Amino acid sequence: MSGLAATALGAFLVVADACWGLVDGPPARDAATIALFSAGLGCLVATLCPVVDRSAAPAPGAPLGDWRRSERIERQFGARPPEIEPADRDEVVAAAGRLIGTSVAVVSRSVWLPAAWLLAWAALVVSGLPSDGQLTFLVLPALLGLIQSATCLGSVVAVGRADAARDRALVLPPAPPPPARSAPPREGRRGSQLDLPGD
């Protein structure tokens, strides 16, 4: 899809340049400018394409029912994680798998947006459009590309932290199964426990 959009824009720009002279310069520079603009549009379209099948997305974890334990597990994916408690081992491994799957999907999509801005910036530089009075054309696309790369970089960091937490959890022995609940003792007498007159 993104390749088709880039090819269509490239063909349009070639025809428009031949008819109306959109890019005024040597033919080699014009061809490079058109190729870079077209690649930038292809990257922009790639951000709109799905990267994973929704049916293959990791299922959300079951609620733990204990906010302290949930917070303790979430801290395993921070910058300075504490020691993993043996009882949390399986939950940390499961949460790491979900986080890795989600973060890889975000990286696969978000990496194209800063690439689109940087390709547009390269096309402007090659075309020679930015002059001393038009520095905005030279600075703004590169700045937007750097700002919008924060999502991609944050997701890469999340993948690294989740993988490290999973490795630390897998070193621990599996948690013992919780003890089976014993049924409460049944009393022989049922019904009201109050003594009525005449009893």
Side-chain angles (χ1 to χ4, degrees), residues 9-101:
L9 177 67
F12 170 76
L13 289 177
V14 167
V15 172
D17 185 47
C19 294
W20 301 292
L22 292 179
V23 186
D24 187 18
R29 190 174 75 179
D30 291 354
T33 300
I34 289 172
L36 288 169
F37 268 125
S38 302
L41 178 70
C43 290
L44 183 62
V45 171
T47 63
L48 306 175
C49 298
V51 293
V52 292
D53 184 8
R54 294 195 177 196
S55 63
L64 299 177
D66 182 359
W67 66 269
R68 288 185 185 89
R69 187 174 181 212
S70 298
E71 186 180 68
R72 197 170 62 225
I73 290 170
E74 285 178 11
R75 282 172 36 207
Q76 297 301 323
F77 306 106
R80 293 179 184 85
E83 292 277 336
I84 299 176
E85 295 192 13
D88 297 338
R89 175 195 184 271
D90 295 338
E91 291 298 331
V92 170
V93 171
R98 290 191 297 271
L99 184 58
I100 289 172

Side-chain angles (χ1 to χ4, degrees), residues 177-192:
R181 287 186 173 181
S182 58
R186 293 187 176 182
E187 296 183 7
R189 187 175 177 186
R190 294 181 175 228
S192 175

